[in-house]
Each structure stands twice: as C-alpha cells, then as structure tokens.
Amino acid sequence: KKKRKNNIKKIIIQILIGFGIFYVSSIASSIFLWIFKINDSSANQNALIEIVTGKYGPLVLFTIVLLGPLCEEIIFRQSAFNLFKPGTKPWIKITITGAVFGFIHVATAILSYILMKEHYHVILQEFLLGIPYILQGIALSFIYHRSQNNIVPTAIIHILNNLLAAIVIFIQ
C-alpha cells in the first residue's frame, strides 16, 4: 500500500514537471513562429477546429481529447522506443520519436501542397507550423524516458493538453 502511494506521488510529480517541460516547448515554438512572422495555424489545427464545431463534434472531441492521445502515446512513445536497438543513446530515441510525432501532424498537408504544386513558401510555412508539434513530441519523449518508460505521465499530459485546446476552441 505504501509502495503504491509512493508510486502515485511519483507519477503526479512526473506529470507536473512534464507539463512544465511541455509548455516551455510550446512557448519556445510560439517565439520561433513569431520571429518568422508566422501567425497562422497548421492545416491540422484548422481541420480540427472545423470538425469539432461541426455536426459530429462530441464524437470528434472524444477522439481528439482521449482516444487520439492514448493511441499516439502507445505508438510514438511505448512502441517506437522499443524499435531501437538495446543500448541506443536516449537522446537519439527522444529526438527521432519526437520529430516523427511532430512531422506526422503536418505531413498530410505538406504532401497535399506538394501534389497541388503549391508555391514553396506555402509548403515551408506548413513545415514551420510543425515545429511546435516536433518540440512537444520531443518533450513527451523526454518525459517518457525520465519516467522509466512509463506511459501514464505522458498520456495524462497529452490528454490534458488536448482538453485545454478543445476548451479554447469552444470559448472562441
């Protein structure tokens, strides 16, 4: 019983520290986008806003807030970390899994812009809008590593982040 209580306390501390790291990465991303005078949202974000406020909003909201983060954490943290050879340096796992996580969030838009032969600046802008996702992915991977590969803290952080984003969508 005491061990379980200590474990819960440890997870709560990891979540709080992780949330701090996660939001520092978000602030850094915002500063980066501000420096490059990019004040648009990614195609991914715009699509989510449109879908959440549409006819199937509650179902989509469930997917965005709960199902999506759980699946992404299982894929990009738990499974992806296990793809590396034993002994791979943690920073390599963290960087690669975080970058892939971030790129996946903008890949569809980038590929569609390439196929539609959009001007290169549209493609570059969408890529730059992926930087917040990449930094958040790296932050989540770092937290996953620091929690001895425990998916609970990263899943909770990811769920809370998406919940806050959904609340902001409905407030606007």
Side-chain angles (χ1 to χ4, degrees):
K1 188 173 181 177
K2 186 175 181 179
K3 186 175 181 178
R4 184 170 184 228
K5 188 175 180 180
N6 284 341
N7 198 24
I8 291 171
K9 182 179 176 183
K10 187 176 180 181
I11 289 172
I12 290 170
I13 290 169
Q14 290 168 341
I15 291 168
L16 292 174
I17 292 170
F19 219 68
I21 292 168
F22 191 79
Y23 276 94
V24 165
S25 74
S26 294
I27 292 167
S29 299
S30 296
I31 292 169
F32 176 82
L33 294 175
W34 177 77
I35 289 170
F36 284 96
K37 296 179 176 31
I38 297 173
N39 51 9
D40 198 6
S41 296
S42 68
N44 179 62
Q45 184 68 22
N46 291 334
L48 290 176
I49 291 169
E50 187 176 323
I51 294 168
V52 166
T53 56
K55 180 179 176 183
Y56 299 105
L59 179 61
V60 173
L61 196 59
F62 171 76
T63 304
I64 291 170
V65 172
L66 191 62
L67 195 58
L70 289 175
C71 290
E72 288 178 349
E73 291 309 310
I74 290 168
I75 293 167
F76 292 105
R77 254 52 77 191
Q78 197 170 46
S79 298
F81 263 63
N82 291 328
L83 293 175
F84 292 90
K85 291 181 182 177
T88 302
K89 294 188 182 329
W91 69 267
I92 292 173
K93 294 179 187 181
I94 291 166
T95 305
I96 291 173
T97 59
V100 170
F101 169 86
F103 184 70
I104 290 296
H105 284 80
V106 294
T108 305
I110 290 172
L111 289 174
S112 66
Y113 291 149
I114 290 170
L115 292 173
M116 293 185 314
K117 298 181 180 172
E118 286 287 339
H119 198 271
Y120 75 91
H121 77 275
V122 174
I123 297 166
L124 178 61
Q125 178 172 321
E126 191 65 29
F127 177 78
L128 292 175
L129 287 166
I131 299 229
Y133 296 111
I134 292 169
L135 290 178
Q136 289 174 345
I138 290 170
L140 287 168
S141 293
F142 175 77
I143 296 157
Y144 179 73
H145 168 71
R146 294 293 297 179
S147 66
Q148 285 94 31
N149 299 347
N150 184 349
I151 200 168
V152 173
T154 57
I156 291 172
I157 292 165
H158 199 153
I159 288 167
L160 290 174
N161 176 69
N162 287 16
L163 176 63
L164 290 173
I167 290 169
V168 168
I169 289 170
F170 281 109
I171 290 174
Q172 294 176 342

